[in-house]
Amino acid sequence: MDRIKELSLDQKAKLYYMGLVKKGEIDTLPEDPKAAFIKDMMGRKDELKEKATELGYLQEEKNCGCGKNPCETYGNINEKKSYQNLPYTYEVLLDDLDFETLKSSFPEYYQNEKFIRPQTGEPYYSDNISFPNLDDSMSQIGDPESLEDWKDKVRRRFGDVIIKFNNKAKNWFDKVFVDDFEFNYAKEKFIRGKQDFIDKERKLGRSID
């Protein structure tokens, strides 16, 4: 598999402003996120640096002078995680992801066969891993066919994106992350649209149950 390159400044700028949209601090992304990011950094360097660090887009190591890594004093602070800096245990391009790779990435799962899918003869596992969807739902990936269906939906709209796994995540919905700006922006846009609709219905006195 080809080495997955680090995000460019343009991609980091987009992710930064997407974080501000998510927090409700801005309504939409700038037309040129990279230029806006650089301009803001020049004009509000200290303030913006603190905000970017808080959201997880910039990382600054602190050291008390002990020279150790992690630092004796700031070690726990340096290890603070954000949704952009989770301890992912494996990453793979979408086209390189197959069911055996998924199973080996989560060795504690895929032990209980629920049934055999007649069309493929492959077992469907009840103790499976869920993958995120654009509509804020999750898809249970219990066999190769369900994985390929999910991959096809993502590939057709976003291409060969990066998939990250975290087999140590406490929450079942944090075990898989699609590391792609367009995917996550579309997801956040859907969530905000759904919340706006709910708020409008409530203001009109309508039930949303």
Side-chain angles (χ1 to χ4, degrees), residues 90 92 97-107 109-110 128-131 141-143 146-147 163 165 176:
Y90 187 76
V92 60
L97 175 60
D98 57 28
F99 194 63
E100 290 305 315
T101 299
L102 174 60
K103 289 171 61 178
S104 64
S105 298
F106 296 95
Y109 291 77
Y110 298 101
N128 53 53
I129 295 296
S130 295
F131 281 46
I141 308 300
D143 66 347
S146 56
L147 175 61
I163 308 298
F165 295 150
V176 178

Side-chain angles (χ1 to χ4, degrees), residues 1-202:
M1 183 185 68
D2 294 335
R3 182 179 180 181
I4 300 172
K5 298 180 179 179
E6 296 292 332
L7 293 177
S8 65
L9 178 60
D10 184 59
Q11 290 173 313
K12 290 179 180 179
K14 289 179 180 178
L15 287 171
Y16 168 73
Y17 286 112
M18 187 182 74
L20 295 185
V21 171
K22 182 178 180 180
K23 291 172 71 70
E25 297 188 15
I26 60 175
D27 295 326
T28 60
L29 292 174
E31 292 184 7
D32 188 342
K34 180 179 177 180
F37 185 76
I38 294 175
K39 182 178 180 180
D40 283 347
M41 285 294 287
M42 293 297 292
R44 301 186 290 123
K45 185 175 181 180
D46 294 336
E47 176 187 349
L48 201 60
K49 184 177 180 181
E50 180 180 352
K51 180 66 66 177
T53 302
E54 176 186 343
L55 291 174
Y57 301 112
L58 295 177
Q59 299 180 41
E60 181 178 3
E61 295 291 330
K62 295 183 178 181
N63 195 282
C64 67
C66 66
K68 296 182 179 180
N69 186 16
C71 174
E72 293 179 347
T73 303
Y74 297 106
N76 292 334
I77 297 177
N78 291 338
E79 294 169 4
K80 183 179 179 181
K81 308 299 181 183
S82 70
Y83 98 98
Q84 284 294 328
N85 188 33
L86 290 174
Y88 292 106
T89 52
Y90 187 76
E91 62 181 54
V92 60
L93 290 171
L94 183 68
D95 287 345
D96 293 327
L97 175 60
D98 57 28
F99 194 63
E100 290 305 315
T101 299
L102 174 60
K103 289 171 61 178
S104 64
S105 298
F106 296 95
E108 297 180 359
Y109 291 77
Y110 298 101
Q111 304 296 319
N112 302 319
E113 296 183 9
K114 186 175 183 180
F115 61 85
I116 301 296
R117 194 183 289 273
Q119 300 92 329
T120 63
E122 297 280 353
Y124 185 95
Y125 295 89
S126 58
D127 55 335
N128 53 53
I129 295 296
S130 295
F131 281 46
N133 297 317
L134 288 179
D135 62 358
D136 201 29
S137 66
M138 302 290 287
S139 289
Q140 293 184 325
I141 308 300
D143 66 347
E145 184 171 340
S146 56
L147 175 61
E148 292 304 318
D149 286 345
W150 184 88
K151 287 174 57 178
D152 184 59
K153 292 177 182 178
V154 174
R155 184 189 297 109
R156 278 187 281 126
R157 184 166 177 180
F158 303 102
D160 194 15
V161 299
I162 298 173
I163 308 298
K164 292 187 175 182
F165 295 150
N166 182 3
N167 65 8
K168 297 180 181 179
K170 295 181 179 180
N171 298 318
W172 61 273
F173 48 81
D174 286 333
K175 293 184 179 297
V176 178
F177 176 69
V178 179
D179 192 0
D180 180 77
F181 167 76
E182 297 295 340
F183 179 94
N184 289 295
Y185 179 67
K187 182 179 178 181
E188 291 298 332
K189 187 176 181 180
F190 175 88
I191 294 173
R192 291 173 64 86
K194 181 172 66 174
Q195 187 60 52
D196 288 343
F197 172 78
I198 292 174
D199 292 342
K200 290 178 181 179
E201 291 296 296
R202 285 175 174 169

